[in-house]
């Protein structure tokens, strides 16, 4: 599960780009959008016109997985199961999700759940079907406080394997002491940092164009995501 206590940390952007880095390493990856009513992964992958069915349709029996899962244009190893556009989906239950994840585990090496921000009921449901949590935070006190609350919730749900990614880090603000010190973040959280993604306007531009920036393999951003993917795979395998 890829989660964040505070909204706006770039969690969905991280999910898409990390998913592509994993896929380009030869891992078969499915991105599952769990942000009910506020899905974004289809937009970030340029698949909004192909997202005809979603997780709600699968769980309600309106269609099979083969009809709802979309193979992305950026890699045959990266697929998407879109989130439901409905704000409430009675078909998304712990039992149904467990059955769905079991089926997906047979087809994919890694399933990344793009969770809604916060510590609501959906986080608990995602935690029940997840082996590990990746928290996405920014170097500000609001994000750090909310990450504390999220980590407490994950621990209560029994998610013992946790990591965090520091996203949107502006080095000039770090040097001026205008944001939370990285050492303070690391001391506050009870899990390890997988890596840091620097602030770069090209990331926002690529997201708005529906193309993950990690498709450009000669960039430092892609190299950062590749290193994070390698650390994650070292834990998985």
């Amino acid at each position: 599960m890829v989660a964040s206590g505070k909204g706006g940390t770039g969690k969905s952007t991280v999910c898409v780009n990390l998913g592509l880095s994993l896929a380009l390493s030869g891992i078969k990856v499915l991105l599952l959008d769990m942000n009910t009513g506020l899905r974004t992964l289809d937009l970030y992958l340029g698949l909004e016109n192909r997202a005809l069915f979603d997780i709600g349709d699968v769980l309600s029996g309106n269609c099979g997985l083969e009809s709802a899962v979309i193979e992305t244009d950026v890699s045959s190893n990266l697929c998407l199961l879109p989130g439901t556009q409905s704000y409430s989906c009675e078909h998304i239950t712990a039992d149904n999700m467990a059955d769905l994840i079991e089926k997906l585990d047979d087809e994919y090496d890694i399933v990344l759940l793009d969770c809604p921000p916060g510590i609501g009921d959906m986080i608990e449901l995602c935690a029940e079907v997840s082996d590990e949590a990746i928290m996405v935070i920014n170097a500000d006190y609001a994000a750090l406080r909310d990450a504390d609350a999220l980590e407490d919730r994950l621990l209560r749900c029994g998610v013992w394997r946790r990591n965090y990614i520091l996203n949107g880090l502006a080095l000039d603000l770090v040097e001026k002491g205008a944001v939370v010190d990285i050492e303070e973040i690391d001391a506050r959280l009870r899990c390890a940092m997988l890596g840091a993604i620097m602030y770069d306007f090209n990331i926002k531009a690529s997201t708005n164009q529906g193309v993950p920036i990690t498709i450009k393999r000669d960039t430092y951003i892609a190299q950062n995501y590749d290193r994070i993917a390698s650390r994650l795979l070292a834990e998985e395998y």
Side-chain angles (χ1 to χ4, degrees), residues 99-134:
D99 290 341
L100 175 62
I101 294 298
E102 186 176 354
K103 293 176 183 176
L104 294 174
D105 278 345
D106 292 335
E107 298 291 330
Y108 300 93
D109 298 309
I110 291 181
V111 177
L112 292 179
L113 278 65
D114 184 29
C115 302
I119 55 174
D121 292 341
M122 188 59 73
I123 288 295
E124 185 169 339
L125 190 151
C126 290
E128 289 188 24
V129 298
S130 297
D131 298 318
E132 183 172 350
I134 300 172

Side-chain angles (χ1 to χ4, degrees), residues 63-165:
C63 71
L65 268 173
E66 67 282 354
S67 298
V69 171
I70 308 168
E71 183 180 297
T72 67
D73 297 325
V74 289
S75 172
S76 60
N77 279 335
L78 182 65
C79 295
L80 169 69
L81 178 52
T84 177
Q85 288 284 59
S86 172
Y87 281 92
S88 62
C89 183
E90 64 276 12
H91 301 292
I92 301 181
T93 65
D95 289 341
N96 282 348
M97 280 298 298
D99 290 341
L100 175 62
I101 294 298
E102 186 176 354
K103 293 176 183 176
L104 294 174
D105 278 345
D106 292 335
E107 298 291 330
Y108 300 93
D109 298 309
I110 291 181
V111 177
L112 292 179
L113 278 65
D114 184 29
C115 302
I119 55 174
D121 292 341
M122 188 59 73
I123 288 295
E124 185 169 339
L125 190 151
C126 290
E128 289 188 24
V129 298
S130 297
D131 298 318
E132 183 172 350
I134 300 172
M135 300 189 298
V136 179
I137 70 168
N138 301 139
D140 61 69
Y141 281 107
L144 184 54
R145 182 175 64 182
D146 290 354
D148 274 335
L150 172 62
E151 192 166 29
D152 285 341
R153 185 68 181 269
L154 293 174
L155 285 168
R156 289 198 300 271
C157 292
V159 182
W160 311 120
R161 293 175 60 188
R162 304 176 316 283
N163 291 290
Y164 74 91
I165 293 173

Side-chain angles (χ1 to χ4, degrees), residues 38 44 60 98 129 191 221-222 237:
L38 296 170
Y44 291 178
S60 65
V129 298
C191 58
I221 301 170
Y237 300 101

